[in-house]
Amino acid sequence: DAGVTQSPTHLIKTRGQQVTLRCSPKSGHDTVSWYQQALGQGPQFIFQYYEEEERQRGNFPDRFSGHQYPNYSSELNVNALLLGDSALYLCASRRTGAGTEAFFGQGTRLTVV
Amino acid sequence: GIQVEQSPPDLILQEGANSTLRCNFSDSVNNLQWFHQNPWGQLINLFYIPSGTKQNGRLSATTVATERYSLLYISSSQTTDSGVYFCAVGPNFGNEKLTFGTGTRLTIIP
């Protein structure tokens, strides 16, 4: 059973560019969430997708957007990259419903130069 | 929003020692998970434990939901236990966002 998979694993972008990160959820999971983890900190919630719609959003600007496809895979898009967007981006999946266990992918390490 | 505090922030132990990591949270939860983050950044699931006690080998965890804390116990530490341990909580029914603590960095010395 494949777990949560993310691509790419590493990425270097220039300030002002746009980036797309991808996530395939664990088999049987239909809810995908994205988190940003800055160096030395805990992951921070960006947003969550279920049934191809954004259901919850954390305190992130509109430069951060996402998408979920009918097969439950998801993308995170970041426009107009800033140096401060450099971080580890983690995708988590779970079965929908309160109190279900979340599983994380290995992350995409984004460096903005 | 809910606040999550972990202690201690750093812990350095000799191989073979036991340790206790604590997670305090500020509101009722319906989800609490413990993770170990490896050096490559992957979050490894240790326990899903919104209440009660669970054990898995040398690791065990207890959550006392009424008193809003959880404990992670590691016995007979090994160098492979080194890394950062995170507690994450999901506060309300239907609110599935996880709020993470700042983590405990555990270093096991041979």
Side-chain angles (χ1 to χ4, degrees), chain B residues 61-90:
Chain B
T62 295
T63 298
V64 183
T66 53
E67 297 186 24
R68 299 180 183 168
Y69 74 88
S70 183
L71 301 173
L72 176 68
Y73 304 98
I74 305 174
S75 64
S76 304
S77 299
Q78 301 174 358
T79 55
T80 52
D81 295 330
S82 296
V84 182
Y85 289 79
F86 285 104
C87 165
V89 302

Side-chain angles (χ1 to χ4, degrees), chain A residues 51-71:
Chain A
E51 290 186 333
E52 302 179 49
E53 289 188 14
E54 183 182 299
R55 300 291 179 171
Q56 268 187 280
R57 190 177 184 92
N59 189 24
F60 280 81
D62 291 345
R63 298 187 298 107
F64 289 77
S65 63
H67 189 80
Q68 185 179 36
Y69 294 93
N71 67 352

Side-chain angles (χ1 to χ4, degrees), chain A residues 31 35 37 40-43 45 48 56 88 90 94-106 109, chain B residues 30-31 33 35 37 39-43 45 47-48 86 92-102 105:
Chain A
T31 299
Y35 292 78
Q37 186 177 20
Q41 309 211 357
F45 176 78
Q48 177 193 89
Q56 268 187 280
L88 179 67
L90 295 162
R94 68 201 305 170
R95 287 191 182 87
T96 194
T100 57
E101 188 174 4
F103 291 83
F104 284 77
Q106 81 280 17
R109 194 166 296 278
Chain B
N30 66 1
N31 182 358
Q33 293 185 238
F35 297 94
Q37 188 163 44
W40 298 272
Q42 174 124 36
L43 287 169
N45 288 42
F47 293 101
Y48 168 72
F86 285 104
N92 297 316
F93 187 91
N95 178 347
E96 300 175 30
K97 153 191 168 180
L98 285 177
T99 299
F100 282 75
T102 51
R105 180 173 297 277

Side-chain angles (χ1 to χ4, degrees), chain A residues 17-78:
Chain A
Q17 285 188 316
Q18 178 263 345
V19 68
T20 297
L21 311 182
R22 295 178 173 81
C23 172
S24 292
K26 185 176 170 66
S27 178
H29 289 186
D30 54 7
T31 299
V32 174
S33 301
W34 287 91
Y35 292 78
Q36 180 196 65
Q37 186 177 20
L39 202 60
Q41 309 211 357
Q44 299 290 315
F45 176 78
I46 303 174
F47 44 52
Q48 177 193 89
Y49 276 82
Y50 169 65
E51 290 186 333
E52 302 179 49
E53 289 188 14
E54 183 182 299
R55 300 291 179 171
Q56 268 187 280
R57 190 177 184 92
N59 189 24
F60 280 81
D62 291 345
R63 298 187 298 107
F64 289 77
S65 63
H67 189 80
Q68 185 179 36
Y69 294 93
N71 67 352
Y72 309 121
S73 67
S74 176
E75 291 179 353
L76 164 65
N77 301 294
V78 187

